[in-house]
């Protein structure tokens, strides 16, 4: 796909409608399905809007990017995408796009890929410009982040368009827990962001904004459409179920990391060191006044291979018949110490 020559590209680009689905797992599955369709040689433009979700990069550590407990409390999805890069927040005020194509001519060529979008934004009166490695800015603040993925001779470039997102929730959702973590995971680069709607002279809904961007990208009256079939939709559902709905993909694929923490258990000061790989506890050791306690040794052994997840750890602690943890207060203190 050579987007630098925009007129020739939009003449053959196809548009895929996601039919109003806002489940981020289903939308990522649709994107992946379209990527795998080698029979479609034309470039594809796919727009989607997600209900609240944090989308982390393929090589990121969940616990370095966000606070899973906060996300669960606020019913915010946590989904790992195929592409690399940093964590982003999606909600119903955020328009997301994906350009899927054969070949890898535009791999790492973010400026070229985003040209049609930058042009469409400027046509709407937004003084948008490409900046840095892969972002679009307006008035000195970021309005779009982008990432890419390639496989088997095909690739996609996808990104966000912050139209009218809840920026307060965005900031909190991308705030990690205060833990000392040692890992080699890719970490996000935080930037000041803003919404596109404030730069528009006329009020519009996000659906009207999507239509305006489409018109600017295609620049033609009749936009060519690829209609998803019932079989397509079933295969998309399968991809969603097998990958994006799986804890092992979303959480378990976090690169190996080590957590250190300090706190109290009953009247004792304790330090804990935990190694986690594939989302599960691989080793755990306690240091402190009761470090030689036999029950602590039994606890360390019992926690091996437990999911590093608050509920999973709490369930494991509840199942242990150890005198030291008969008091509920001790179990709560221990849970806060290890998670």
């Amino acid at each position: 796909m050579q987007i630098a020559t925009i007129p020739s590209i939009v003449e053959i680009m196809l548009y895929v409608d996601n039919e109003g689905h806002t489940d981020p797992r289903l939308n990522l599955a649709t994107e992946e399905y379209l990527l795998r369709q080698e029979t479609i040689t034309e470039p594809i433009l796919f727009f989607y809007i997600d209900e609240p979700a944090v989308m982390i990069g393929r090589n990121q550590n969940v616990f370095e990017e966000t606070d899973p407990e906060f996300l669960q409390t606020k019913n915010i999805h946590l989904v790992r995408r195929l592409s690399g890069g940093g964590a982003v927040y999606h909600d119903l005020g955020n328009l997301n796009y994906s350009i899927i194509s054969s070949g890898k001519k535009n791999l790492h060529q973010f400026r070229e890929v985003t040209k049609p979008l930058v042009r469409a934004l400027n046509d709407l009166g937004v003084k948008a410009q490409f900046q840095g490695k892969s972002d679009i800015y307006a008035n000195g603040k970021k309005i779009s982040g982008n990432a890419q993925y390639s496989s088997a001779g095909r690739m996609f470039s996808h990104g966000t368009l912050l139209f009218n997102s809840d920026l307060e929730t965005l900031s909190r959702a991308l705030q990690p827990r205060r833990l000392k973590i040692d890992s080699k995971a890719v970490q996000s680069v935080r930037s000041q962001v803003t919404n596109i709607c404030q730069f528009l002279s006329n009020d519009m809904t996000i659906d009207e904004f999507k239509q305006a961007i489409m018109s600017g990208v295609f620049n033609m009256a009749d936009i060519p459409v690829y209609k998803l079939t019932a079989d397509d939709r079933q295969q998309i559902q399968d991809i969603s179920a097998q990958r994006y709905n799986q804890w092992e993909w979303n959480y378990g694929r976090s690169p190996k990391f080590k957590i250190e923490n300090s706190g109290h258990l009953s009247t004792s000061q304790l330090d804990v060191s935990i190694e986690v790989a594939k989302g599960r506890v691989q080793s755990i050791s306690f240091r402190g006044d009761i470090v030689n306690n036999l029950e602590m040794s039994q606890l360390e052994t019992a926690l091996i291979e437990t999911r590093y997840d608050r509920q999973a750890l709490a369930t494991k602690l509840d199942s242990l018949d150890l005198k030291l943890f008969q008091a509920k207060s001790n179990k709560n203190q221990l849970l806060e110490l290890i998670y």
Side-chain angles (χ1 to χ4, degrees):
M1 180 174 61
Q2 183 59 47
I3 293 184
T5 55
I6 295 172
S8 63
I9 285 300
V10 296
E11 288 175 3
I12 60 172
M13 185 181 285
L14 301 177
Y15 171 67
V16 174
D17 188 351
N18 84 327
E19 301 174 346
H21 294 295
T22 59
D23 184 333
R25 298 160 298 189
L26 197 63
N27 285 327
L28 285 185
T30 303
E31 178 183 65
E32 181 176 346
Y33 175 76
L34 294 171
L35 175 72
R36 309 295 184 195
Q37 298 313 296
E38 297 180 2
T39 58
I40 305 175
T41 57
E42 302 92 336
I44 296 170
L45 176 63
F46 174 57
F47 276 134
Y48 56 100
I49 297 170
D50 286 330
E51 56 204 38
V54 169
M55 318 292 275
I56 66 169
R58 184 185 185 93
N59 301 310
Q60 290 196 295
N61 180 357
V62 169
F63 299 95
E64 289 184 285
E65 299 303 325
T66 188
D67 181 350
E69 285 186 82
F70 173 79
L71 301 188
Q72 291 170 11
T73 300
K74 297 297 183 181
N75 294 317
I76 298 173
H77 298 283
L78 185 285
V79 190
R80 187 181 299 274
R81 61 182 190 266
L82 287 175
S83 63
V88 294
Y89 175 74
H90 290 183
D91 63 14
L92 298 176
N94 188 348
L95 179 64
N96 310 289
Y97 77 90
S98 182
I99 297 175
I100 304 150
S101 63
S102 297
K104 300 181 181 181
K105 291 181 180 179
N106 281 307
L107 194 60
H108 309 306
Q109 302 300 314
F110 290 99
R111 181 182 296 273
E112 294 303 317
V113 172
T114 56
K115 272 185 177 180
L117 297 166
V118 170
R119 185 191 65 174
L121 286 167
N122 276 273
D123 287 345
L124 288 173
V126 180
K127 295 180 180 179
Q129 58 183 356
F130 183 85
Q131 187 169 318
K133 177 185 175 182
S134 59
D135 301 326
I136 300 174
Y137 274 66
N139 207 33
K141 291 185 178 181
K142 184 175 173 179
I143 58 173
S144 173
N146 298 272
Q148 294 180 331
Y149 177 75
S150 65
S151 176
R154 286 174 64 80
M155 64 169 285
F156 64 65
S157 294
H158 60 185
T160 60
L161 289 170
L162 287 170
F163 175 70
N164 191 19
S165 188
D166 182 343
L167 298 184
E168 183 176 344
T169 301
L170 179 153
S171 177
R172 180 62 184 86
L174 297 178
Q175 180 178 321
R177 298 170 57 219
R178 295 184 180 275
L179 286 173
K180 183 179 179 181
I181 298 177
D182 179 21
S183 83
K184 295 182 180 180
V186 174
Q187 296 187 16
S188 298
V189 178
R190 310 298 180 185
S191 303
Q192 273 197 313
V193 298
T194 194
N195 281 315
I196 294 168
C197 64
Q198 67 175 303
F199 302 119
L200 300 175
S201 56
N202 298 316
D203 291 339
M204 62 173 60
T205 66
I206 192 166
D207 286 328
E208 291 170 336
F209 175 67
K210 180 179 75 172
Q211 292 300 320
I213 294 295
M214 281 179 58
S215 297
V217 169
F218 283 95
N219 197 27
M220 60 179 65
D222 296 322
I223 296 175
V225 175
Y226 175 82
K227 180 71 174 177
L228 294 172
T229 66
D231 181 64
D232 290 334
R233 288 192 290 271
Q234 182 57 59
Q235 293 188 61
I236 290 167
Q237 290 282 356
D238 292 343
I239 293 172
S240 178
Q242 294 165 13
R243 188 191 302 278
Y244 301 105
N245 277 278
Q246 295 298 318
W247 184 93
E248 286 76 13
W249 170 258
N250 294 322
Y251 288 85
R253 277 191 63 96
S254 292
K256 182 178 180 179
F257 62 98
K258 183 177 181 180
I259 289 177
E260 294 185 354
N261 202 9
S262 299
H264 286 87
L265 181 60
S266 187
T267 59
S268 300
Q269 173 70 30
L270 278 183
D271 298 323
V272 63
S273 178
I274 308 171
E275 290 190 356
V276 181
K278 296 183 179 180
R280 296 179 182 273
V281 176
Q282 300 302 301
S283 69
I284 180 168
S285 61
F286 295 93
R287 303 178 301 277
D289 298 341
I290 56 175
V291 70
N292 295 319
N293 189 296
L294 177 60
E295 289 195 332
M296 297 306 293
S297 177
Q298 292 175 308
L299 173 63
E300 291 171 351
T301 300
L303 289 175
I304 300 301
E305 287 302 323
T306 303
R307 280 186 181 182
Y308 194 70
D309 169 86
R310 188 180 185 89
Q311 185 57 52
L313 291 167
T315 299
K316 174 62 73 172
L317 293 179
D318 285 339
S319 72
L320 299 178
D321 186 22
L322 301 176
K323 292 181 181 179
L324 182 61
F325 308 114
Q326 294 303 307
K328 185 176 181 180
S329 59
N330 281 359
K331 286 187 178 179
N332 290 340
Q333 285 180 325
L334 181 60
L335 186 59
E336 292 302 318
L337 181 64
I338 64 178
Y339 186 81

